[in-house]
Amino acid sequence: MEKENKFIKYLSKALKPEDITKKGGGPVITISRDHGCSAGFIAERLVEHINNYTSSNKKPKKWSWISKEILEKSAEELRTKPEKIAHIFSGGEKSLLEDLSLSFIGRYYISDSNIIATIKKIIRGYAVEGNVVIVGRGSCVVAADIEKSLHIKLYAPLEWKIKKISDRFGLTRKEALDLIKQTEFKRSEFMKLLLKSKTETDFYDLMINCESFSEDDIINLIFNLCKEKKLIV
């Protein structure tokens, strides 16, 4: 807990978004994915691969991967519970009128704009700190202007995703399809809050079809790209 509090204090300092590229930042890898693509597993294995590769360095700085920690640390900084702000990842932004009304009702009310700003700060803090793989949470957009970065999107055909979800959770085809539609709709709505008028695909360096490559192939592909871009040495 003490370590986490120190991290929050670090992020709470005057770290201006416009200064991040001037100060450097990274290396950071972001992995976005369609529902059914195993981004968490791939991130974990990729980090292991990178740490094994860099272990012979004189003073290696270990890599790590994060996803749900973004929600947890955002909630911690806002002094609330994760479930109180989780709606933002479903694109469930409240209207200005709702924000104003609720601000008068609740003493500790937190506006959606404040939630989004905090999430961005947490993501950018991790990205600037570097040596991290960030899974989802709009990280490809938030860390787009960091020079030492690589942004990956994992996708797959619908039928492939249905089979993956069905096999993993023991669902019928219809149940798996409904889950995919619901999850990807929520993700799309959240991304709209970050993208504004931009297109999501503009932020990816590489899009990988998970049906065409094994998980080991994907890990090796990302790893080799990291070496080419000198994100790992």
Side-chain angles (χ1 to χ4, degrees):
M1 181 61 70
E2 183 181 352
K3 185 178 180 181
E4 290 189 359
N5 288 336
K6 285 181 180 179
F7 182 82
I8 294 297
K9 288 178 183 177
Y10 163 75
L11 290 179
S12 298
K13 292 178 183 177
L15 181 62
K16 298 178 182 178
E18 62 269 21
D19 291 338
I20 285 180
T21 51
K22 295 176 186 176
K23 294 184 179 183
V28 56
I29 303 164
T30 69
I31 303 179
S32 305
R33 79 290 195 194
D34 284 356
H35 192 56
C37 298
S38 305
F41 175 79
I42 287 170
E44 184 177 10
R45 290 278 307 281
L46 176 63
V47 164
E48 290 175 2
H49 199 12
I50 292 173
N51 284 333
N52 287 336
Y53 178 78
T54 59
S55 62
S56 59
N57 293 347
K58 287 185 178 180
K59 293 183 178 180
K61 181 182 176 184
K62 282 198 170 185
W63 281 66
S64 61
W65 74 278
I66 60 165
S67 181
K68 62 181 177 62
E69 291 86 350
I70 294 168
L71 174 62
E72 293 167 354
K73 291 189 182 297
S74 296
E76 185 178 342
E77 173 147 318
L78 291 166
R79 298 182 180 180
T80 189
K81 296 179 180 179
E83 57 266 27
K84 295 290 186 181
I85 64 172
H87 68 275
I88 211 73
F89 289 114
S90 301
E93 190 178 34
K94 293 185 283 291
S95 68
L96 176 60
L97 182 59
E98 286 178 295
D99 260 347
L100 289 172
S101 299
L102 290 170
S103 67
F104 287 110
I105 297 171
R107 181 180 175 186
Y108 298 107
Y109 173 69
I110 305 167
S111 69
D112 283 344
S113 60
N114 195 9
I115 295 171
I116 294 171
T118 302
I119 290 168
K120 284 182 177 180
K121 186 170 77 168
I122 295 295
I123 292 172
R124 290 180 78 92
Y126 274 114
V128 171
E129 188 76 2
N131 291 66
V132 67
V133 179
I134 307 176
V135 176
R137 311 296 183 183
S139 53
C140 62
V141 178
V142 180
D145 57 353
I146 292 181
E147 185 176 355
K148 296 173 76 172
S149 63
L150 178 65
H151 306 290
I152 304 293
K153 171 64 182 287
L154 304 179
Y155 73 97
L158 180 59
E159 289 302 322
W160 185 92
K161 291 186 288 187
I162 290 172
K163 186 176 187 310
K164 277 285 183 180
I165 296 296
S166 296
D167 292 346
R168 182 177 179 183
F169 298 107
L171 303 177
T172 65
R173 185 185 184 282
K174 182 181 184 306
E175 288 171 338
L177 178 59
D178 288 344
L179 179 59
I180 290 168
K181 286 182 177 179
Q182 181 183 36
T183 304
E184 294 193 351
F185 173 77
K186 289 179 178 179
R187 179 186 175 278
S188 175
E189 291 300 297
F190 171 64
M191 290 300 290
K192 286 178 184 177
L193 300 179
L194 299 178
L195 291 168
K196 305 302 180 184
S197 60
K198 296 181 181 179
T199 304
E200 183 179 343
T201 53
D202 292 343
F203 293 91
Y204 300 128
D205 296 311
L206 179 67
M207 298 178 68
I208 304 173
N209 186 339
C210 291
E211 183 181 42
S212 301
F213 300 92
S214 69
E215 289 170 340
D216 283 341
D217 288 338
I218 293 171
I219 291 163
N220 287 327
L221 178 57
I222 298 173
F223 176 77
N224 287 325
L225 279 173
C226 288
K227 289 200 295 184
E228 287 293 322
K229 293 195 71 175
K230 294 183 169 47
L231 300 187
I232 53 176
V233 291

